[in-house]
Amino acid sequence: MAKRRFLPKYVSSFADRHGKERLRFRRAGQPTGYFKAALGTEEFRIEYRAFLDAATAPSTIAIERAAPGTIADLVAQYFAVPTRLGPSTVTQDKVRRIVGAFRDEHGSKPVNRIGFEHVEGIIAKKLVRTMVDTPRGKRPSGGPEAARKLRKELVRLFDFAVKKRMIATNPAAQAERVKVPVDQRSTGFHTWTEDEIAQYRAHHRLGTNARLAMELMLWTGQRRSDAIRMGRQHIKDGRIHVVQKKGGKGLSLPVAPQLLEAIVAMPARGSHLCFLINEYGRPFTDGGFGNWFRERCDEAGLHHCTAHGLRKATMRRMAELGTANQSMKAVSGHSKDNEVAHYTAQADQRRMADDAIAALARWERARDAIGVTVGE
């Protein structure tokens, strides 16, 4: 078989035992991976980026055999049952990224030789914020929030090690908790403002994929993983029916006039079942859509805005209108009041501050009108 030319970095071609050509990803410090998609396709591009980011599930990456009793062995057993990592694929992928990075650095070490002081040293290293090179340029890595999340996942990992009798006590649970300074606590993804929504609309007109994507997320309050699966078949009697990918909760939401306008403005899509179709005429993958929407935001000059920030904008809008927590949860699909509390708290603070200052102003004017000096 002739060797392919112009293969991406770290990718090689080989013939399997059936004589079929296969593409393999090999990079120092990472498990060897094998591509499912054909070279040059959108799916191949998504898989390749996932390999580079070391964020692919075990079903896609073939984990190399680990020495028994090592961190790599522990992680392989831990990853073997995805539900151990979380209730949804979204959560599971996040856990794999965090624990996988820990395994990549410490995989050869024996589990029974890890003490709390070793874990504290690893977490202390994670506390330092640095800039690292990625396929999409330099990005920040580490910091208090990253260290806190690492300790949380290590506690769960070593709890599993105790159950497997690979270690007697949990060293991560004995390690000091990470205290995140108030001024360094993450507020998560940026919440879109009304000016930013208007700016995006001005740049991306009705009838474009970019505009429909924004309106879908803004007027349903759903995550990108749900927006990319929505189609006309989900709309009945003026309502759009959603089964959330994260958690599996079913929702029935009224279709806002603004969303309907964006749907109707789109050119005919033939037999496609999804509203949003990529440049290859196929439905988006979750990761592919995130990168694509990131580029649409950049085109509109909104470099700090993201798809998830639109979900937060929907919550912000409802909170500012004084929407009750139960009604907000009926739209977003959140289960607990504390998950939406910070939106209502911010909105309530603004309303109460407005009321208080307005009352003070009226009080002073009333005293002045009757000739009483303030402060007497």
Side-chain angles (χ1 to χ4, degrees):
M1 180 182 65
K3 184 178 181 181
R4 278 187 184 268
R5 299 177 63 195
F6 310 121
L7 287 173
K9 190 175 183 180
Y10 307 119
V11 177
S12 59
S13 174
F14 70 100
D16 64 15
R17 60 190 180 91
H18 302 291
K20 182 180 178 181
E21 183 185 29
R22 297 285 304 280
L23 296 174
R24 173 174 53 209
F25 182 94
R26 301 183 74 174
R27 185 183 187 184
Q30 285 186 225
T32 298
Y34 299 90
F35 289 88
K36 294 181 178 180
L39 182 67
T41 63
E42 170 70 5
E43 288 75 14
F44 177 89
R45 185 177 68 82
I46 298 302
E47 284 188 71
Y48 180 63
R49 178 176 287 117
F51 281 128
L52 288 173
D53 292 344
T56 309
S59 59
T60 305
I61 288 182
I63 298 177
E64 295 175 339
R65 193 178 302 277
T70 60
I71 293 293
D73 178 36
L74 169 64
V75 173
Q77 295 183 59
Y78 188 56
F79 282 179
V81 180
T83 51
R84 284 195 192 110
L85 312 184
S88 69
T89 56
V90 176
T91 302
Q92 291 163 16
D93 286 345
K94 290 179 181 177
V95 174
R96 285 192 188 97
R97 284 195 291 272
I98 296 171
V99 178
F102 169 73
R103 173 205 59 207
D104 292 345
E105 187 171 354
H106 305 282
S108 62
K109 298 173 181 175
V111 174
N112 60 9
R113 299 291 295 274
I114 301 292
F116 76 89
E117 67 277 13
H118 300 119
V119 175
E120 287 183 349
I122 292 167
I123 292 173
K125 183 178 177 182
K126 195 70 174 178
L127 276 167
V128 180
R129 187 180 294 276
T130 59
M131 298 299 293
V132 298
D133 291 319
T134 74
R136 296 188 289 276
K138 287 189 175 294
R139 290 187 172 232
S141 176
E145 283 289 347
R148 183 185 62 79
K149 291 176 182 177
L150 174 60
R151 182 188 181 276
K152 174 185 173 182
E153 296 306 330
L154 291 184
V155 168
R156 296 177 62 204
L157 175 67
F158 283 106
D159 270 346
F160 176 72
V162 172
K163 291 179 182 178
K164 297 291 291 184
R165 299 183 180 179
M166 297 176 73
I167 196 169
T169 58
N170 187 329
Q174 296 174 337
E176 289 291 330
R177 291 180 178 273
V178 178
K179 297 178 175 62
V180 182
V182 174
D183 61 346
Q184 295 185 39
R185 289 176 187 170
S186 172
T187 57
F189 292 98
H190 168 74
T191 304
W192 289 48
T193 66
E194 294 305 312
D195 286 344
E196 288 163 348
I197 292 170
Q199 183 175 329
Y200 186 95
R201 284 172 170 163
H203 188 87
H204 296 292
R205 301 296 183 178
L206 287 169
T208 63
N209 237 12
R211 178 64 172 271
L212 178 58
M214 189 274 282
E215 301 293 356
L216 269 175
M217 289 181 285
L218 182 66
W219 290 105
T220 64
Q222 302 306 302
R223 302 174 183 87
R224 69 186 188 188
S225 56
D226 298 316
I228 61 176
R229 295 185 294 141
M230 294 178 186
R232 293 180 183 273
Q233 72 275 14
H234 296 126
I235 296 180
K236 185 178 180 180
D237 299 328
R239 307 185 71 83
I240 187 163
H241 301 272
V242 181
V243 177
Q244 293 184 317
K245 183 177 179 180
K246 182 178 181 179
K249 180 174 289 187
L251 303 173
S252 176
L253 306 170
V255 178
Q258 294 90 329
L259 174 56
L260 182 61
E261 183 182 25
I263 293 172
V264 172
M266 293 297 293
R269 291 295 179 89
S271 60
H272 284 299
L273 295 178
C274 298
F275 288 127
L276 300 174
I277 303 299
N278 66 21
E279 59 185 308
Y280 301 102
R282 300 171 184 168
F284 282 100
T285 62
D286 192 8
F289 176 79
N291 295 324
W292 174 84
F293 192 75
R294 162 79 275 133
E295 293 169 359
R296 305 292 80 78
C297 292
D298 289 344
E299 290 171 354
L302 301 170
H303 304 289
H304 56 295
C305 291
T306 63
H308 193 74
L310 283 168
R311 175 171 161 84
K312 295 180 70 173
T314 304
M315 301 292 289
R316 171 188 59 76
R317 284 177 155 191
M318 291 190 291
E320 290 176 353
L321 288 171
T323 306
N325 269 25
Q326 287 299 108
S327 297
M328 292 176 67
K329 291 189 293 184
V331 172
S332 67
H334 286 109
S335 299
K336 301 177 182 178
D337 284 338
N338 63 3
E339 294 174 320
V340 298
H342 68 281
Y343 295 104
T344 54
Q346 291 172 3
D348 288 344
Q349 183 274 324
R350 290 180 59 177
R351 280 196 300 272
M352 289 188 290
D354 288 346
D355 291 344
I357 296 299
L360 285 172
R362 290 194 299 271
W363 169 76
E364 182 180 277
R365 289 187 183 279
R367 289 176 65 88
D368 288 348
I370 59 176
V372 177
T373 302
V374 176
E376 287 183 349

